[in-house]
Amino acid sequence: MRKGSLTPDRDRQIEEHELQETGISPDTERFKRNKNVGQYQREEEEEDGEEQEESVEGIFESREVPSWKNQLTIRAFVVSFALSILFSFIVMKLNLTTGIIPSLNVSAGLLGFFFVKTWTKMLHKSGLLKQPFTRQENTVIQTCVVASSGIAFSGGFGTYLFAMSHRIADQSGDVARGVKDPSLGWMIAFLFVVSFLGLFSVVPLRKIMIIDFKLPYPSGTATAHLINSFHTPQGAKLAKKQVRVLGKFFSFSFFWGFFQWFFTAGENCGFNSFPTFGLRAYQYKFYFDFSATYVGVGMICPYIINISLLLGGILSWGLMWPLIETRKGDWFPSNVDSSSMNGLQAYKVFIAVAMILGDGLYNFCKVLYRTLSGLVSQIRGKADSRTSLAHEEDPPASPLTPKISYDDQRRTRFFLKDQIPSWFAIGGYVVISAVSTAILPHMFSQLRWYYIIVIYVFAPILAFCNAYGAGLTDWSLASTYGKLAIFTIGAWAGSDHGGLLAGLAACGVMMNIVSTASDLTQDFKTGYLTLSSPRAMFVSQMIGTAMGCLVSPCVFLLFYKAFDDLGLPNSEYPAPFATVYRSMAKLGVEGVSSLPRDCLVLCYSFFAVAGLINLIKDGLGNRWGRFVPLPMAMAIPFFLGPYFAIDMCVGSLILFVWERLDAPKAEAFATAVASGLICGDGIWTLPSSVLAIAGVKPPICMKFLSGATNHRVDKFLQGSS
């Protein structure tokens, strides 16, 4: 008997009703369960004289689909926990440097396949293997790992959460408006009370999203096809080759990071401060810093993102900031520090904020319009089909009527098999909301209980919009909804009642809800295409989220304790978005009166430019619009510099040349090479952090000086000797 069901007969009736709604006859299903489905379908197709593409599920029809409980194995969660630590380090490093985080779903699926396949192979040889490794278990691992590492992003360690700290407040010059320094206890508690709500908010809509609306969810679909291919004989061979390539570049990246460490004994030392284009260009952040991580990210990110980053860096650090510097003493005081928000830093931060907000607002409106229009068309289509069926019990077959394929029929049946009761989802949302409303005001006294209730009333609607929009565009707008909460709650609380911290905390609540909601629906799509039980997907997502709530704060605190300059503008980990989020919160409660001269005019201009660029991009269509840069990507180097964009463009160049020389190999192994570069450099962060905490210093400082400076240094050293 299924959970949440009264009787087996009632359970069967529900399933039959839902199958009928999707256009699948239950009788046909029973026939296909007891017959050779592949042969039956082939005979039908031969009679129709139609050529059909190869059935994916036909390949797997001889393999039994395990029950949802058997898809959740101990070995899957052991591997998931190990990989979640690795991926949390990678995401945390990217969070605290550029804030650009590529999709790691493919890497998670590939590494999960490798580890469990190795495990089962060893057990098989020893005669102890009790359960073979299935694509459903592979999907569970991928879901758990991505859910866990996703908390490293939505947890705000590089954005709203770190923005509350004393270190970021010092840079913004608004310590008096409230600070809350990171500590393990309250960070874990905060994440546990806000990270699960998004999961419960979209569970009742899973059938509508995946089956009725047939949303594509490109990332989830791509991951499912990858996992399906791994578990065919040909795919398993390719996966082994990909893992070997990943291992080689993982080792290279790790030892390259280890080698670089020896030359970083002081500030601005080492290969990451190499003045590739000269010392003058280096002053304006134009250099290649030999980062394997950024090169790997550049190989994964689309070309247009990397080009947009480079264009933004040239526009800001190559043109705008040198020109604005000449207005020192006129537009802003000449005696302020370079990192002061009363000087040039204010232009860097707030112009970038204006572009980000302009781009976010445009995409929010676009996705909202597509969401509403899609919903209206879906509802009208369903109403029209019901009306036609009411007038004609057995409508004649039409060549225009799409035939439901065997793959879709089988996937729909298994997707509807394990119900997650709506009462469970709604009850879970209400209970967690009540607990959260009671606890959060004790963590943040500025965040009143009625602010939280308002957020929780609107959050399911916004979570649905984000999940639907991500299904159409593969674009999650979690950070945009978070910024909306910053301005709304910050302005409501006001400057005199801790509006700055209230806005940042509200941002965290909203971001976690809408982010996990889109992640879960993405995983439901992957599960649908791999015949993984939705119940297993939900449990895996819950366990992965719990792992992330424990692992991510520990990883962040390791960075925070190991690097004393974490969050400072010119450090190895500048955490640029933390300053941006605090500046947004400050702007929300103070208004624009504190900005330097003409900064507001430039902000308005770039806000409009961001919307105009998006409008042109959409107006040109896919053929030419793909060459138009992305304002969001252009804005990132405004306050960070273009050095990482140069690294990423090198990654794009490597991929471009590789595709021209050997396209099939590039398609097969590029992701493995990129993942190896990112993972190796990311895992080196763990031993380097431990060395920093232990007080072990690198032995050498490799620094580059101009000829005149070097002459003075030599003269000083000769005089002192």
Side-chain angles (χ1 to χ4, degrees), residues 649-672:
C649 285
V650 169
S652 281
L653 181 62
I654 292 170
L655 180 61
F656 180 81
V657 173
W658 192 2
E659 286 177 336
R660 294 299 175 272
L661 295 176
D662 193 344
K665 275 195 174 181
E667 184 178 357
F669 296 106
T671 302

Side-chain angles (χ1 to χ4, degrees), residues 584-597:
M584 287 181 187
K586 183 179 179 182
L587 193 64
V589 298
E590 281 188 357
V592 297
S593 58
S594 60
L595 297 180
R597 179 182 166 184

Side-chain angles (χ1 to χ4, degrees), residues 57 60 134-139 227-228 231 529-531:
E57 293 306 325
F60 293 99
T134 63
R135 54 180 175 150
Q136 289 79 19
E137 189 178 355
N138 204 159
T139 305
I227 291 173
N228 281 335
H231 293 266
L529 295 172
T530 58
L531 298 194

